[in-house]
Amino acid sequence: MQAQAQYSYKGLVTDAETGDPIPFASVGLKGVNSGGTTNFQGFYSFQSKVASDSLFVSMVGYTRRTKSVDKSPGMHEVDFQVKPSSADLSEVKVYSGENPAFRILRAIQANKSRNDRIQMAAYEYDSYAKMELDVDNISEQFKGKKVMQDIASSIKKFEQQAGEDGKLLIPTYITETVSKFYYLESPRRRREHILKTNIKGVGMGEGGLISQLVGGNLVTNYNFYQNFISFFGKDFASPIGEQWKQTYTYYLLDTVQVEGRTCYQIEFEPKNPADLTYTGQMWIDTTQFALTQIDATVGKAANLNFIEKVKISQELEQTETGVWLPARTRFLIDLEEISKGSAGMLLKMYISNKNFVINKPHPLPFYDRTSEVATNARDANPEYWKNARHESLSRQDLLAFSMIDSVKSVPIVRTYVEIADVVLGGHRTFKDMDVGPYISGLAINQIEGARVRLGFRTNALFDSSWIFRGHASFGTKDLIPKYSGEVNYLFSKSKWTVAGIKHSYELERVGLTPDLIGDNKLFYAFTRWGSFSGAFFRRDSEAFFSTEFIRGFRLTGSMNMRSFDPLFRFQYRLQPELGMDSPVQDHYNDTFFTFEARFAKNETFILNGNEKVTLATRRIPVLTFRYQQGLKGVLGGDFNYHRFTLKAYQTFRLGKYGRSDYTLLAGYTPSNLPAPLLFPHLGNETFMFVRSAFSTMNYFEFVSDRFASLQFNHNFEGLFFNRIPLIKKLKWRFIVSTNVLYGSQRTSNRALMQEVNQPMDSRYLDRYDFDSLDPKIPFVEVGYGIDNIFKLFRLQAFHRLSYLDHGNPDLFRLMGSINFHF
């Protein structure tokens, strides 16, 4: 009797388009009941006592491949590159009665409380992450260009590595990370402490936005026990979520051995491929009904933009408590080419976790820093990485590292990466300085004529603590230079403590200043075009200090001196009790102190050099409270006053019905002030939709000294259009909006702005009533429209439902916007 089989087979199975290993694929001998399954690295190995002349590989979502093999005894090494395709269900047998997979899905839900990691109080583990950014879909015509000749030999090596059926990829960026990941359930906290990084890339400045995405667990720590898996700001229904039966079709394929465990192998596919769902396979433990492995793909038919494919493969490991944690994860995004003949981009991430520590939480302040990079993270030598990696680099990884230096000489590759950085950050980087934002570079309006603006800011390469910003602008008509300058010092990144001073002289518009519009830089740039009504010059000096002393809780204090010099007919009474005999003034100076508290629980962010970029918040609203006190007689201030505002913002999922967001805003001032210092409500006379504005309200139409408003938006995603033949291919999304505003002005504030018999000198004839709302009648408007037209545009109609005869309003307004989203 032979001690071992005479025929041995091994090899690597990879995706022909991405070069990524394919885990969980079935490999076997044709006509012989002998085979194996690829591991998480895509390798297979098995033995057989019987020979065959053909070896096949099979995997859901890929074309079945067969290769001839020699029937002689010994070791046979055969690699496969398999091409993606729609799932082939021709071999699935469906019997009458209940689907046998349903019993297993119900058991998964019943055992969720003991298997889902969310049941643990805390956990932590050691993690290794690798991220690679490639240029793909490279045509033969492009490879023949002169600029490619310098890396021709490297390209040839990559083509050989890809295999006879593989597709050429040019790596542009690779990073390795060794980190510690910590999770606390209540209150929910996550922290990733990056110990070492190995970064090699084309056109990537250290501290740039893309180069900050070095960790893996903050963005790919997917939990399929949740009802929805979120990425790209979208929510994808989990195949083991509570809505499994309404969303997916299931096929029980077999029971197989997975790492010594007997598992059910279940295939799943969406009932509607256009919905935000997955296609793939999962393996469920037959005794504990726990998810042990899953391979899930989002295809091109899904209601996503610029995406060829998204793929998540995950292997889970049972901990000492019985709960399962992800041991290995692969995440892939294949971005389609921007135009015909151009190249696409491919992002691949691999995360390996081990040394799990369960239910040993740290003190709450330990979790305050979401992401932290050790000061010596870039100091590791090659020997360190040989021991730190959880698995050795593959042949393809080694070749990718060696090719990066060659690729740096290719202009188009560098251009692609730089465009990504500009799109994400809005600025163009020149060594230690960023120039921009480009959307504000040019404007044409009635007062300034052609306005040209040039702005800059220093980045982390200039200094990790000192930050300088500024801009200069000039109009060809008014010939008045405008400018700003700012100096910040970043004391602590862990508590994000920063202080600074700034000074500016700029032409602004009542109710449309940056402090009222907020972070919507595109809308602010748009308001600088056209008639430019309500214009005034403002000189502003500010000193501020801000700190996030508790994670998610930020305090800011500032002192400002501002002037208001209007270019329209404006006056306010200095002694309104004298009525028409009151002296008036057509300008003012405002000195004030501001205190702001912002609470954003579970907020995640990344560091873009010495800038902080917020990604998202979870569960509860973001709350902001602001108190402002005017200081009369201090540095020329004309008013004593108190001003209070409270804001709540939240975005949340409504199951399969899409995603909503709302903004609740309230303000109150007990003081008598000129209208611009009260609460001018943000109107919108442009054709550009802005969430924070009232779309059928004119500029400066209403001003309040006390108010409350609700702005609600809901995106049904593809709920309706995905179910209409032909239309669903357009990937349109239906949206609705409702805006409601209650407000009023006291009689004393209205009297303050009444004209007197003294004519005001002004070369501009426009004048604004700064009228008030009736406290018993709200301002109401509703909107509806289509999002994602040509993957870029939003078109929305708004109807004004109240104050129909106030001024000269537009009762119906059609608005559009440009939205770059997935």
Side-chain angles (χ1 to χ4, degrees):
M1 185 174 180
Q2 291 180 320
Q4 62 180 16
Q6 293 180 328
Y7 305 95
S8 299
Y9 301 89
K10 69 176 184 179
L12 174 66
V13 180
T14 57
D15 187 308
E17 293 189 353
T18 68
D20 230 24
I22 299 179
F24 321 137
S26 298
V27 184
L29 294 171
K30 188 175 182 180
V32 177
N33 187 22
S34 183
T37 303
T38 59
N39 63 14
F40 206 79
Q41 308 301 333
F43 289 100
Y44 70 91
S45 176
F46 68 92
Q47 296 176 325
S48 175
K49 293 182 179 181
V50 182
S52 174
D53 60 0
S54 299
L55 190 67
F56 72 87
V57 60
S58 176
M59 180 66 180
V60 171
Y62 290 90
T63 302
R64 182 184 174 100
R65 286 296 314 277
T66 301
K67 285 190 175 184
S68 299
V69 292
D70 192 342
K71 298 182 69 172
S72 61
M75 175 61 71
H76 302 270
E77 185 170 355
V78 182
D79 293 340
F80 288 90
Q81 301 84 33
V82 292
K83 296 180 179 180
S85 70
S86 59
D88 182 7
L89 304 179
S90 59
E91 299 181 7
V92 176
K93 295 181 179 180
V94 180
Y95 300 94
S96 61
E98 184 184 57
N99 187 331
F102 287 1
R103 177 185 66 85
I104 302 170
L105 270 296
R106 285 195 293 267
I108 293 173
Q109 291 295 316
N111 289 274
K112 180 178 177 179
S113 60
R114 70 175 185 179
N115 295 323
D116 185 2
R117 72 188 83 158
I118 202 172
Q119 307 303 323
M120 290 186 285
Y123 58 82
E124 61 189 71
Y125 48 74
D126 298 330
S127 184
Y128 167 81
K130 178 178 61 181
M131 183 181 76
E132 180 177 335
L133 185 65
D134 302 329
V135 174
D136 68 349
N137 294 331
I138 302 167
S139 66
E140 291 296 326
Q141 180 182 4
F142 179 70
K143 284 190 289 184
K145 291 185 177 181
K146 184 177 180 180
V147 295
M148 299 295 288
Q149 300 308 308
D150 292 338
I151 59 170
S153 59
S154 296
I155 288 178
K156 188 174 182 180
K157 291 179 183 178
F158 258 75
E159 289 177 318
Q160 293 172 348
Q161 180 67 43
E164 58 183 329
D165 301 305
K167 186 171 66 173
L168 173 64
L169 304 173
I170 297 182
T172 63
Y173 183 75
I174 303 177
T175 177
E176 295 180 282
T177 302
V178 174
S179 65
K180 290 280 292 186
F181 180 75
Y182 306 88
Y183 180 88
L184 181 69
E185 175 56 30
S186 183
R188 185 166 292 181
R189 296 283 190 269
R190 295 188 300 171
R191 175 186 175 185
E192 187 166 23
H193 185 194
I194 298 171
L195 305 175
K196 296 292 181 182
T197 62
N198 181 23
I199 300 176
K200 202 174 187 67
V202 180
M204 296 287 186
E206 183 179 353
L209 188 57
I210 295 177
S211 68
Q212 288 295 318
L213 300 175
V214 292
N217 286 279
L218 289 179
V219 293
T220 59
N221 191 26
Y222 301 121
N223 183 358
F224 282 90
Y225 283 105
Q226 296 175 339
N227 294 329
F228 294 93
I229 313 298
S230 297
F231 51 88
F232 304 136
K234 305 293 182 183
D235 301 292
F236 295 78
S238 170
I240 58 173
E242 293 178 356
Q243 297 181 345
W244 60 270
K245 196 171 184 179
Q246 293 81 27
T247 310
Y248 287 96
T249 301
Y250 297 88
Y251 304 93
L252 178 59
L253 301 183
D254 203 354
T255 55
V256 296
Q257 292 294 313
V258 177
E259 301 292 332
R261 294 179 178 272
T262 304
C263 295
Y264 297 113
Q265 183 179 2
I266 299 176
E267 182 178 306
F268 53 89
E269 63 177 9
K271 291 186 175 180
N272 188 337
D275 289 343
L276 299 181
T277 49
Y278 301 96
T279 299
Q281 293 186 67
M282 55 186 173
W283 289 259
I284 308 298
D285 186 273
T286 56
T287 59
Q288 300 185 49
F289 294 97
L291 179 68
T292 62
Q293 294 179 166
I294 187 168
D295 189 80
T297 299
V298 180
K300 193 172 183 178
N303 198 320
L304 283 174
N305 296 329
F306 318 112
I307 299 292
E308 289 282 348
K309 180 171 69 174
V310 177
K311 184 177 180 182
I312 303 173
S313 299
Q314 193 175 76
E315 184 179 66
L316 294 96
E317 179 179 312
Q318 189 175 26
T319 64
E320 58 191 28
T321 64
V323 174
W324 297 69
L325 284 171
R328 298 179 184 87
T329 301
R330 289 190 185 278
F331 179 63
L332 177 145
I333 308 173
D334 190 0
L335 300 176
E336 65 185 14
E337 51 269 38
I338 299 174
S339 61
K340 187 176 180 180
S342 65
M345 300 202 78
L346 188 69
L347 175 67
K348 300 185 288 185
M349 295 190 72
Y350 168 69
I351 301 98
S352 172
N353 306 318
K354 64 181 183 180
N355 299 330
F356 298 104
V357 178
I358 308 302
N359 291 335
K360 294 183 179 179
H362 297 273
L364 187 59
F366 176 83
Y367 301 92
D368 281 349
R369 184 87 181 262
T370 302
S371 178
E372 180 179 8
V373 181
T375 54
N376 62 343
R378 298 291 299 274
D379 296 341
N381 57 44
E383 290 300 319
Y384 169 86
W385 286 104
K386 288 182 181 179
N387 298 320
R389 296 182 183 107
H390 292 187
E391 296 95 15
S392 299
L393 293 177
S394 66
R395 290 174 295 173
Q396 189 173 18
D397 292 331
L398 293 172
L399 189 57
F401 270 105
S402 66
M403 188 177 181
I404 288 289
D405 290 333
S406 298
V407 175
K408 288 181 179 180
S409 64
V410 182
I412 194 169
V413 175
R414 178 183 293 272
T415 299
Y416 265 73
V417 178
E418 289 177 349
I419 287 174
D421 234 359
V422 170
V423 169
L424 290 171
H427 291 69
R428 172 72 165 88
T429 299
F430 297 92
K431 293 184 179 180
D432 54 4
M433 182 181 298
D434 302 335
V435 176
Y438 289 110
I439 57 174
S440 300
L442 175 66
I444 300 175
N445 60 65
Q446 178 186 4
I447 295 175
E448 295 176 287
R451 170 191 168 97
V452 179
R453 182 188 186 278
L454 181 65
F456 79 95
R457 69 185 183 194
T458 59
N459 56 41
L461 293 180
F462 175 83
D463 193 274
S464 61
S465 297
W466 288 101
I467 308 162
F468 297 87
R469 296 186 183 91
H471 88 274
S473 60
F474 187 80
T476 58
K477 184 176 180 181
D478 68 347
L479 303 178
I480 298 176
K482 298 92 178 175
Y483 56 87
S484 70
E486 180 177 353
V487 180
N488 293 346
Y489 185 79
L490 185 58
F491 292 93
S492 169
K493 289 187 177 181
S494 61
K495 301 294 184 181
W496 202 254
T497 302
V498 59
I501 56 174
K502 50 188 174 181
H503 178 76
S504 65
Y505 183 68
E506 187 55 271
L507 184 67
E508 301 287 2
R509 303 177 71 180
V510 174
L512 297 171
T513 55
D515 45 310
L516 294 176
I517 290 177
D519 294 330
N520 195 328
K521 295 181 174 62
L522 181 60
F523 179 55
Y524 179 69
F526 213 82
T527 63
R528 306 201 72 87
W529 291 73
S531 62
F532 218 82
S533 57
F536 68 95
F537 279 101
R538 181 166 79 177
R539 195 177 303 276
D540 187 0
S541 299
E542 178 181 353
F544 72 92
F545 177 82
S546 179
T547 182
E548 191 170 321
F549 68 102
I550 299 175
R551 183 187 164 190
F553 191 66
R554 187 176 71 204
L555 296 178
T556 303
S558 65
M559 177 69 75
N560 285 73
M561 297 177 290
R562 288 180 178 172
S563 65
F564 180 82
D565 295 307
L567 298 183
F568 58 92
R569 292 175 57 203
F570 171 83
Q571 65 176 20
Y572 65 96
R573 297 182 179 184
L574 296 175
Q575 295 176 275
E577 67 275 8
L578 298 180
M580 297 297 288
D581 296 326
S582 172
V584 295
Q585 188 164 297
D586 63 353
H587 67 279
Y588 59 76
N589 293 312
D590 183 20
T591 301
F592 59 92
F593 167 77
T594 301
F595 169 79
E596 181 179 282
R598 180 179 183 272
F599 180 63
K601 185 179 180 181
N602 302 324
E603 184 176 51
T604 57
F605 60 87
I606 59 174
L607 301 181
N608 178 19
N610 46 25
E611 301 280 338
K612 185 177 179 181
V613 180
T614 298
L615 297 180
T617 56
R618 298 174 183 269
R619 287 190 173 183
I620 67 173
V622 177
L623 301 175
T624 305
F625 169 76
R626 178 180 292 180
Y627 168 69
Q628 190 170 307
Q629 180 179 357
L631 303 171
K632 185 175 181 179
V634 177
L635 300 174
D638 290 329
F639 310 103
N640 281 321
Y641 62 87
H642 304 279
R643 196 170 186 265
F644 305 88
T645 56
L646 179 63
K647 178 181 178 181
Y649 171 80
Q650 185 181 16
T651 176
F652 55 93
R653 177 82 195 185
L654 288 177
K656 65 180 181 180
Y657 299 105
R659 179 168 286 274
S660 296
D661 69 78
Y662 69 84
T663 301
L664 277 171
L665 189 62
Y668 172 67
T669 175
S671 308
N672 295 329
L673 295 168
L677 289 178
L678 299 177
F679 299 101
H681 302 297
L682 185 60
N684 188 356
E685 296 180 17
T686 73
F687 292 103
M688 178 181 175
F689 169 75
V690 179
R691 285 179 182 269
S692 57
F694 293 91
S695 298
T696 59
M697 184 185 293
N698 295 328
Y699 296 144
F700 341 120
E701 184 176 356
F702 294 108
V703 177
S704 301
D705 53 36
R706 66 192 71 191
F707 78 95
S709 67
L710 169 66
Q711 294 175 299
F712 177 82
N713 300 278
H714 182 75
N715 193 324
F716 287 96
E717 300 289 351
L719 181 66
F720 302 126
F721 292 126
N722 284 355
R723 285 148 182 81
I724 303 175
L726 300 180
I727 293 293
K728 65 182 181 180
K729 294 183 179 182
L730 300 175
K731 299 185 177 181
W732 287 353
R733 300 159 189 172
F734 185 64
I735 50 178
V736 294
S737 301
T738 300
N739 299 325
V740 181
L741 169 66
Y742 281 91
S744 66
Q745 276 189 57
R746 293 187 305 279
T747 303
S748 56
N749 272 322
R750 292 199 298 269
L752 194 70
M753 296 301 298
Q754 288 179 353
E755 285 192 319
V756 298
N757 292 327
Q758 304 174 29
M760 303 303 300
D761 293 330
S762 174
R763 59 193 179 101
Y764 299 96
L765 300 179
D766 52 333
R767 181 186 179 278
Y768 307 98
D769 292 331
F770 298 115
D771 208 349
S772 63
L773 293 153
D774 185 329
K776 297 179 181 179
I777 303 176
F779 177 91
V780 181
E781 63 183 10
V782 296
Y784 51 88
I786 300 174
D787 194 14
N788 208 43
I789 301 172
F790 301 118
K791 301 182 181 181
L792 194 61
F793 299 102
R794 172 182 184 138
L795 189 64
Q796 192 164 2
F798 279 89
H799 296 270
R800 181 163 168 162
L801 303 184
S802 60
Y803 295 92
L804 305 183
D805 57 353
H806 184 270
N808 185 28
D810 288 331
L811 304 184
F812 172 81
R813 187 168 284 170
L814 192 63
M815 314 192 80
S817 63
I818 298 174
N819 294 309
F820 183 84
H821 50 196
F822 289 104

